[in-house]
């Protein structure tokens, strides 16, 4: 499954003019979120990734991420956040009305 | 009396042939140079014998390395050709074993495409000082963007990157060249408060994380610094992050999602 996500992300990143380093950054961040979701034993929902292309940026949104991502106290959580901070130009968490969590990674387009 | 080298050509004659070949790329001159160094090719190929590959195949692979070395060698630099050729030929032989010993065998077409892409990425990065985009790789290789993406992911799927493998052009392992102890590594540990999990990583793996995530180097910049390919850096980083994740899980005593 990760290969499909990687290929889709690389393809979209390429379309908006990001180079392979930047595409790989997004894939590294998505890997963390994907593993987090895949490790939920009770998960019966698909792992959804949304790509929003703006004139100045690419937004990659992982939807309905395991809420344990919010936990800022465990080492694993700190590690995961650190990686996302580093690979994305901006990253933020968005809590939905139903309480589920989306994680957004943004890469700004140069030029 | 001038010192004789292989195939009864003197050093002066060899040097002269290299200058001639550099100027006109005459295939006849190249053939003479190949003949002069075939003993070296056989000698290096024999080093890799008894590893399950026929010696004739290894000689062919080593010959390819020799051809590349002849093409790339700059006689104006004050370096003996053998100094330049040996790592190139050995690198070709190692690459041969590495490609043939993939954990997952790719279809030949995909394997060749991955190799083509890898070379294009290296060439582009060296020329432009930045990583190429998919479309730039496609333009350089003459294959479609979809095939480039497939090739990139395909190459990721086959290689079990090891820090113990030797680099393409030397006898040092990646572990040897990534670096020594660096006090600034503590920054990474302090930043993440990952004492325990980090310490279980090899020092060089910690350095790799440091270069990427604290110093903020791109994969291409790390590749240049370590003299390996960007794709290799990508694989190593993923593997190192995976190790760190596993260490975190075991050190916390909780499942990964804790």
């Amino acid at each position: 499954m990760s290969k499909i996500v990687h290929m889709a992300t690389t393809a979209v990143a390429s379309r908006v003019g990001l180079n392979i380093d930047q595409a790989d950054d997004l894939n590294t961040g998505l890997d963390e979120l994907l593993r987090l979701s895949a490790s939920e034993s009770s998960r019966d929902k698909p792992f959804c990734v949304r790509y929003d292309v703006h004139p100045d940026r690419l937004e990659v949104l992982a939807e309905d991420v395991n809420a344990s991502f919010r936990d800022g106290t465990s080492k694993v959580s700190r590690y995961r956040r650190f990686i996302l901070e580093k690979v994305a130009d901006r990253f933020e968490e968005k809590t939905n009305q139903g309480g589920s969590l989306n994680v957004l990674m943004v890469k700004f387009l140069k030029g | 009396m001038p010192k004789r080298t292989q195939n009864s050509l003197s050093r002066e004659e060899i040097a002269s042939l290299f200058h001639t070949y550099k100027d006109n790329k005459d295939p006849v001159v190249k053939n003479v140079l190949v003949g002069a160094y075939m003993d070296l090719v056989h000698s290096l190929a024999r080093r890799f014998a008894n590893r399950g590959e026929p010696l004739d195949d290894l000689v062919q692979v080593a010959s390819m390395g020799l051809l590349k070395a002849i093409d790339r060698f700059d006689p104006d630099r004050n370096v003996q050709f053998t100094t330049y050729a040996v790592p190139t030929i050995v690198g070709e032989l190692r690459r041969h074993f590495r490609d043939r010993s993939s954990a997952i065998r790719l279809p030949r077409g995909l394997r060749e495409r991955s190799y083509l892409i890898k070379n294009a990425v290296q060439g582009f990065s060296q020329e432009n000082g930045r990583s190429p985009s998919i479309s730039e790789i496609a333009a350089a290789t003459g294959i479609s963007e979809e095939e480039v993406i497939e090739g990139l992911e395909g190459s990721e799927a086959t290689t079990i990157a090891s820090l113990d493998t030797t680099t393409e052009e030397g006898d040092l392992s990646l572990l040897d060249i990534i670096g020594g102890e660096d006090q600034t590594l503590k920054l990474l540990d302090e930043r993440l408060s990952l004492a325990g999990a980090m310490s279980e990583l090899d020092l060089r793996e910690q350095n790799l994380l440091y270069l990427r995530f604290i110093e903020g180097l791109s994969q291409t910049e790390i590749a240049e610094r370590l003299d390996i390919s960007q794709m290799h850096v990508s694989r190593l980083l993923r593997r190192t992050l995976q190790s760190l994740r596993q260490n975190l899980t075991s050190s916390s005593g909780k499942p990964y999602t804790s």
Side-chain angles (χ1 to χ4, degrees):
Chain A
M1 180 167 123
S2 66
K3 289 287 165 203
I4 303 295
V5 174
H6 285 177
M7 290 173 82
T9 306
T10 305
V12 175
S14 166
R15 289 284 177 222
V16 299
L18 297 180
N19 64 31
I20 55 172
D21 269 8
Q22 294 164 315
D24 211 60
D25 280 347
L26 289 172
N27 280 323
T28 302
L30 278 171
D31 271 348
E32 295 304 323
L33 300 172
L34 187 60
R35 283 167 195 275
L36 178 60
S37 290
S39 62
E40 285 180 78
S41 56
S42 62
R43 189 177 179 90
D44 54 359
K45 292 163 283 192
F47 179 75
C48 292
V49 185
R50 204 176 84 190
Y51 302 92
D52 286 325
V53 178
H54 299 269
D56 64 334
R57 67 192 187 281
L58 170 64
E59 293 184 352
V60 181
L61 184 77
E63 296 183 344
D64 199 13
V65 170
N66 187 331
S68 68
F69 184 83
R70 287 198 190 97
D71 176 9
T73 57
S74 76
K75 285 182 180 180
V76 178
S77 180
R78 279 201 299 274
Y79 154 81
R80 202 180 288 128
R81 284 163 179 278
F82 174 80
I83 296 297
L84 285 170
E85 272 173 24
K86 288 294 177 181
V87 296
D89 293 335
R90 197 180 85 211
F91 111 89
E92 55 188 74
E93 302 157 51
K94 294 181 171 181
T95 307
N96 297 319
Q97 282 184 340
S100 66
L101 182 69
N102 289 355
V103 176
L104 177 75
M105 289 190 290
V106 179
K107 277 278 187 192
F108 291 108
L109 312 177
K110 293 185 177 68
Chain B
M1 184 177 167
K3 191 172 179 182
R4 310 302 291 183
T5 179
Q6 302 177 48
N7 209 24
S8 301
L9 292 171
S10 67
R11 282 175 188 264
E12 289 73 17
E13 286 167 330
I14 290 279
S16 167
L17 284 169
F18 271 116
H19 278 103
T20 307
Y21 183 68
K22 186 190 174 189
D23 292 338
N24 60 20
K25 298 291 175 194
D26 184 349
V28 177
V29 176
K30 190 177 187 180
N31 277 342
V32 176
L33 287 169
V34 168
Y37 287 97
M38 279 312 286
D39 285 350
L40 176 67
V41 162
H42 282 276
S43 161
L44 293 174
R46 275 196 297 273
R47 276 201 215 168
F48 289 80
N50 304 319
R51 294 192 190 184
E53 289 288 306
L55 182 60
D56 284 351
D57 286 2
L58 296 178
V59 169
Q60 281 205 13
V61 172
S63 301
M64 293 300 294
L66 175 63
L67 291 172
K68 285 182 185 174
I70 291 172
D71 279 334
R72 295 173 187 167
F73 180 63
D74 183 352
D76 293 328
R77 294 190 179 191
N78 197 21
V79 176
Q80 288 291 319
F81 174 70
T82 47
T83 307
Y84 180 78
V86 169
T88 307
I89 296 169
V90 169
E92 197 70 23
L93 286 160
R94 290 206 168 115
R95 192 158 36 245
H96 173 73
F97 278 99
R98 187 190 62 202
D99 292 346
R100 288 186 66 92
S101 60
S102 299
I104 301 166
R105 291 299 297 272
L106 290 176
R108 188 184 171 86
L110 186 53
R111 208 164 61 223
E112 287 173 352
R113 212 178 302 147
S114 295
Y115 185 66
L116 199 63
I117 291 166
K118 186 185 151 203
N119 284 343
V121 170
Q122 275 180 324
F124 187 97
S125 303
Q126 278 175 3
E127 227 169 82
N128 298 282
R130 64 173 176 86
S131 294
S133 66
I134 299 293
S135 55
E136 286 165 334
I137 299 172
T141 54
I143 58 181
S144 72
E145 292 185 21
E146 286 74 14
E147 287 173 321
V148 172
I149 293 168
E150 193 184 48
L152 282 171
E153 286 305 319
S155 67
E156 293 277 353
T158 57
T159 312
I160 299 171
S162 167
L163 287 170
D164 296 323
T165 53
T166 50
T167 56
E168 289 175 5
E169 296 198 350
D171 292 330
L172 294 173
S173 77
L174 196 55
L175 279 171
D176 295 326
I177 62 170
I178 283 181
E181 186 162 10
D182 186 342
Q183 288 303 311
T184 45
L185 276 173
K186 287 179 182 168
L187 279 175
L188 184 59
D189 207 356
E190 285 167 8
R191 175 77 192 267
L192 284 164
S193 305
L194 295 180
M198 280 292 289
S199 63
E200 285 180 43
L201 289 179
D202 187 278
L203 191 59
R204 280 79 171 195
E205 290 179 318
Q206 295 179 33
N207 265 326
L208 193 61
L209 292 180
Y210 173 79
L211 289 174
R212 176 65 190 90
F213 294 114
I214 297 295
E215 213 169 289
L217 297 186
S218 69
Q219 290 181 9
T220 303
E221 289 166 333
I222 296 172
E224 275 171 20
R225 190 175 285 194
L226 304 182
D227 198 21
I228 55 177
S229 72
Q230 177 271 336
M231 289 160 82
H232 200 171
V233 172
S234 168
R235 285 193 288 266
L236 288 171
L237 271 173
R238 283 190 194 177
R239 203 191 75 152
T240 303
L241 287 176
Q242 194 175 349
S243 301
L244 182 58
R245 223 182 277 123
Q246 280 168 354
N247 293 346
L248 280 169
T249 309
S250 55
S251 69
S252 65
K254 299 175 191 171
Y256 176 66
T257 53
S258 64

